[in-house]
């Protein structure tokens, strides 16, 4: 009997040691589900590249744990996104999810992710639903709440004295958040409010409407290929001579500038980040991104990079024990990492409180058409939905 007990004790100790060894040496598994095909592919590619650059610069490890990034394409489809997310959390058993570009996909992916108690770190989509009554302890935004950049443009357009503005956005959750955000701070007349098909590329009807209504400015939220096509058609139709064009950071980002070029000179946009921001974390990120990929990073790439840095901080501050959900959540809420945007902290709904800046598209010292950060529009700006969030414990 004594020998049998000694054997059991030895076996138990062995299993405990093995378990401890496995926990210490286990990987950090990240499901990076993003739009990698279709008109929005460039946005997902930049999120992926920014995230993977952060992993590379950390030596492929977060706090000593090897990082396994499982990349998948949601095809900008809520159904594909939900099915793939379900696979990532159930079969692959990822510790974190990230990467989604479009809010309609994010809303579909939320259910299987939150039900599995898997933390989702948003590198872009920030739907108002998750900021307000549907806020969730497993959702964190390392980007923004959808309305915020548009609120900043609404204030800028008002401050610059524009009285009659046309609004154009895609007909999906982020498009509706965009228009709501702009109107929250714009004090003039809305000449027209147009919702286009998501991923629409021909804007002949919208341009004819602009000719008819004759606004003094037009505000667009058309990310990726949508914005590229609209701006080319807008300028080609000669409308830029009489109508001033405004957009959020997405519609005036480096991917759009690269495709359109000089016709974008003089366009104003707003963002919480710019590649010329003067802080050590951002300077390193921009230099390393250009070195790795041969192009200037976009806002999407910066958000992917910060999402990875936030996850890295959570792994470190939870001492690598990712099974302790309370410790991981506490570490995520503390957000102890150097963001490329500078000052950053979470509100009670797990969305950022941060500054937003006015940018203008101009030529830099190297002759490149690019963004130049001008001045703050909002300091320590919070979203409009946080008061409705009753965050469950």
């Amino acid at each position: 009997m004594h020998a049998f007990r000694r054997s059991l004790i030895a076996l138990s100790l062995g299993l405990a040691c093995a378990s401890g060894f496995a926990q210490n040496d286990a990987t950090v598994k990240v499901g990076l589900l993003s739009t990698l095909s279709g008109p929005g592919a460039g946005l997902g590619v930049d999120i992926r590249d920014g995230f993977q650059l952060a992993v590379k610069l950390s030596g492929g490890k977060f706090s000593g744990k090897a990082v396994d990034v499982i990349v998948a394409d949601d095809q900008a489809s809520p159904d594909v996104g939900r099915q793939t997310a379900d696979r990532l959390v159930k079969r692959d058993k990822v510790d974190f999810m990230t990467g989604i570009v479009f809010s309609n996909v994010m809303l579909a992916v939320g259910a299987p992710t939150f039900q599995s108690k898997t933390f989702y770190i948003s590198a872009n989509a920030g739907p108002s639903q998750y900021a307000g009554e549907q806020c969730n302890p497993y959702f964190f935004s390392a980007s923004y709440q959808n309305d915020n950049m548009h609120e900043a443009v609404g204030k800028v357009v008002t401050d610059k004295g524009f009285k009659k503005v046309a609004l154009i956005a895609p007909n999906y959750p982020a498009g509706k958040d965009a228009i709501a955000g702009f109107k929250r701070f714009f004090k003039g007349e809305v000449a027209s409010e147009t919702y286009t098909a998501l991923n629409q590329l021909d804007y002949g009807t919208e341009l004819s409407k602009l000719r008819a209504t004759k606004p003094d400015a037009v505000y667009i939220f058309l990310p990726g290929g949508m914005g590229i096509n609209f701006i080319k058609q807008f300028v080609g139709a000669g409308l830029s001579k009489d109508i001033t064009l405004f957009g959020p950071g997405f519609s005036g980002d480096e991917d759009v500038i690269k495709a359109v070029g000089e016709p974008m000179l003089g366009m104003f946009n707003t963002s919480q980040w710019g590649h010329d921001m003067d802080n050590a974390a951002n300077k390193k990120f921009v230099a390393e991104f250009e070195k790795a990929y041969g192009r200037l990073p976009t806002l999407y790439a910066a958000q992917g990079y910060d999402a990875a840095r936030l996850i890295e901080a959570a792994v470190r501050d939870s001492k690598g024990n990712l099974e302790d959900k309370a410790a991981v959540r506490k570490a995520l809420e503390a957000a102890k990492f150097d963001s490329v945007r500078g000052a950053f902290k979470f509100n009670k709904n797990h969305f950022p409180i941060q500054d937003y800046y006015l940018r203008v598209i101009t030529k830099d010292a190297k002759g490149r058409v690019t963004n130049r950060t001008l001045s703050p529009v909002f300091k320590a700006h919070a979203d409009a939905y946080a008061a409705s969030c009753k965050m469950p414990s």
Side-chain angles (χ1 to χ4, degrees):
M1 180 64 72
H2 293 300
F4 179 68
R5 285 179 178 170
R6 283 197 298 272
S7 296
L8 281 177
I9 292 169
L11 178 60
S12 297
L13 288 172
L15 288 172
C17 290
S19 175
F21 182 83
Q23 180 171 302
N24 289 334
D25 287 1
T27 59
V28 179
K29 298 183 74 173
V30 180
L32 198 158
L33 175 62
S34 199
T35 300
L36 303 173
S37 59
L43 316 182
V45 166
D46 266 19
I47 289 173
R48 179 199 66 194
D49 289 353
F51 192 97
Q52 291 185 328
L53 176 65
V55 174
K56 177 184 175 183
L57 294 179
S58 293
K61 294 183 177 182
F62 287 170
S63 195
K65 290 177 173 281
V67 182
D68 181 12
V69 182
I70 304 171
V71 178
D73 183 7
D74 61 34
Q75 302 173 38
S77 164
D79 288 339
V80 173
R82 185 186 178 102
Q83 291 166 13
T84 309
D86 195 58
R87 185 196 77 213
L88 288 166
V89 299
K90 289 181 179 177
R91 189 194 73 184
D92 298 311
K93 300 187 184 303
V94 297
D95 301 298
F96 300 92
M97 287 280 291
T98 191
I100 290 174
V101 176
F102 296 103
S103 288
N104 56 336
V105 180
M106 183 67 251
L107 290 169
V109 163
T113 305
F114 306 152
Q115 285 168 8
S116 69
K117 297 184 178 180
T118 302
F119 288 102
Y120 189 92
I121 313 302
S122 181
N124 193 58
S128 56
Q129 290 89 336
Y130 290 165
E133 293 180 358
Q134 295 179 42
C135 62
N136 193 286
Y138 291 96
F139 181 88
F140 287 79
S141 170
S143 52
Y144 54 85
Q145 193 279 314
N146 282 349
D147 299 31
N148 293 156
M149 282 189 216
H150 315 288
E151 292 171 340
V153 185
K155 184 176 187 305
V156 168
V157 172
T158 297
D159 291 348
K160 288 184 174 295
F162 289 92
K163 305 297 184 183
K164 185 179 179 182
V165 179
L167 311 178
I168 302 174
N171 188 17
Y172 81 119
K176 294 176 182 178
D177 286 348
I179 298 300
F182 182 91
K183 292 195 296 185
R184 190 172 290 123
F185 282 83
F186 175 61
K187 305 305 180 185
E189 174 191 350
V190 175
S192 62
E193 186 173 320
T194 304
Y195 292 96
T196 70
L198 184 61
N199 292 326
Q200 179 176 319
L201 298 178
D202 184 347
Y203 295 95
T205 300
E206 288 74 20
L207 296 178
S208 295
K209 192 173 182 179
L210 290 176
R211 282 197 186 90
T213 54
K214 297 180 180 179
D216 50 9
V218 58
Y219 177 67
I220 63 166
F221 165 57
L222 297 167
M226 293 179 283
I228 291 168
N229 279 268
F230 178 87
I231 295 169
K232 284 182 176 179
Q233 293 166 32
F234 176 78
V235 173
L239 291 171
S240 60
K241 297 175 184 176
D242 301 311
I243 303 173
T244 303
L245 182 63
F246 290 88
F250 323 105
S251 299
D253 214 346
E254 300 304 319
D255 58 327
V256 182
I257 293 171
K258 184 178 179 180
V260 178
E262 293 199 2
M264 293 191 70
L265 288 170
M267 178 181 173
F268 291 100
N269 63 91
T270 59
S271 179
Q272 78 272 26
W273 172 84
H275 64 75
D276 57 349
M277 291 181 74
D278 189 13
N279 66 70
N282 192 50
K283 287 180 176 180
K284 178 179 180 180
F285 162 63
V286 174
E288 293 290 350
F289 192 93
E290 283 193 272
K291 180 181 175 182
Y293 303 113
R295 66 185 190 274
L296 281 171
T298 61
L299 173 64
Y300 300 95
Q303 292 170 168
Y305 186 87
D306 265 2
R309 290 297 186 215
L310 174 59
I311 292 172
E312 181 178 22
V315 175
R316 180 196 68 217
D317 294 344
S318 64
K319 296 181 170 44
N321 184 6
L322 302 183
E323 295 301 314
D324 187 344
K325 301 294 184 178
V328 175
R329 175 180 171 181
K330 182 179 179 181
L332 287 169
E333 288 173 338
K336 292 182 179 178
F337 74 104
D338 292 326
S339 169
V340 297
R341 76 200 78 178
F344 175 100
K345 65 179 180 179
F346 281 120
N347 205 339
K348 67 177 183 179
N349 60 354
H350 295 169
F351 278 81
I353 296 174
Q354 59 192 347
D355 299 344
Y356 289 86
Y357 300 86
L358 177 63
R359 307 189 304 183
V360 66
I361 298 173
T362 184
K363 285 189 177 181
D364 66 8
K366 297 179 181 179
R368 299 178 298 187
V369 179
T370 187
N371 274 294
R372 178 162 58 89
T373 303
L374 296 176
S375 58
V377 179
F378 293 133
K379 298 288 286 185
H381 187 62
D383 66 84
Y385 304 97
S388 299
C389 170
K390 308 301 180 186
M391 182 66 71
S393 59

